[in-house]
Amino acid sequence: MRQGRRDGFREFAAGRSGPLYRSACLLASGDVHLAEDLVQETLGRMYLLWGRISRIDNPAAYAQTVLVRSFLTHQRRRSAGERPVGEFPESRAPEAGAADPELRVTLLQALGQLAPKDRAVLVLRYWEDRSIEETAEAMNVSSAAVRTRSTRALTRLRGQLGDSLSELVAR
């Protein structure tokens, strides 16, 4: 019985590690070390509760929720205002070759300047393509808060990017 649960978790972790890592990279504004830590923390929490979690309808959505909450908890605990620097390592992102690297770096830098909750809302709504209700549940806030935060976050993001985004996309 225990071996079956372990095998089930290993299969789940192997299948979800990539998508979790990509979401974590976006949440962490390209900080791959923090992204790896967030994925490990998420999978660790999932493993501890796997007996109960494996019986729910959508363990992958639960894992995304755990990831976002781990990120927000990390941001609250973080006392230093340090920001990741440098370029996004193309070798770590599976779809890195499909997009313009300068555009990726510009977007990651702009996302990094948003508040953690704003960044989480944008990642969940527009990267993960979740509904307002799913995003609200993952962040433990109301649907109205998600709508308000996403509108304000998009406005801030557009203000930060200004004309630089249109220049990068026009190429």
Side-chain angles (χ1 to χ4, degrees):
M1 182 79 118
R2 285 184 141 194
Q3 186 62 35
R5 273 196 221 149
R6 276 191 221 134
D7 290 342
F9 178 76
R10 283 187 187 128
E11 184 179 317
F12 171 80
R16 292 303 304 165
S17 292
L20 285 171
Y21 178 74
R22 286 187 290 279
S23 293
C25 278
L26 287 170
L27 289 170
S29 300
D31 183 348
V32 295
H33 303 293
L34 176 57
E36 289 170 352
D37 290 345
L38 290 171
V39 171
Q40 288 300 316
E41 185 173 340
T42 298
L43 292 176
R45 289 182 184 183
M46 295 288 291
Y47 181 75
L48 290 175
L49 301 172
W50 186 248
R52 285 184 262 163
I53 294 171
S54 62
R55 292 187 294 255
I56 64 173
D57 288 336
N58 193 349
Y62 186 80
Q64 287 297 132
T65 299
V66 171
L67 176 73
V68 168
R69 289 184 181 169
S70 296
F71 167 73
L72 293 174
T73 299
H74 171 75
Q75 291 299 326
R76 279 192 297 271
R77 276 193 240 141
R78 192 173 180 182
S79 60
E82 61 190 39
R83 292 280 182 205
V85 295
E87 297 179 356
F88 188 76
E90 298 300 322
S91 61
R92 301 297 296 221
E95 293 104 13
D100 181 15
E102 288 182 53
L103 179 60
R104 286 180 76 84
V105 170
T106 301
L107 287 173
L108 285 172
Q109 288 173 343
L111 274 173
Q113 293 180 14
L114 295 176
K117 286 185 179 182
D118 290 347
R119 195 176 328 145
V121 165
L122 292 182
V123 168
L124 288 171
R125 287 281 294 130
Y126 302 105
W127 176 261
E128 294 292 326
D129 199 28
R130 290 193 181 197
S131 69
I132 291 173
E133 292 75 24
E134 290 170 332
T135 303
E137 185 179 328
M139 293 186 63
N140 204 22
V141 296
S142 70
S143 296
V146 169
R147 283 190 289 276
T148 301
R149 191 170 286 279
S150 64
T151 301
R152 290 180 183 163
L154 284 172
T155 302
R156 285 188 195 112
L157 193 61
R158 286 182 188 113
Q160 289 174 4
L161 293 173
D163 293 332
S164 64
L165 185 62
S166 60
E167 291 169 9
L168 287 170
V169 173
R171 284 195 255 158

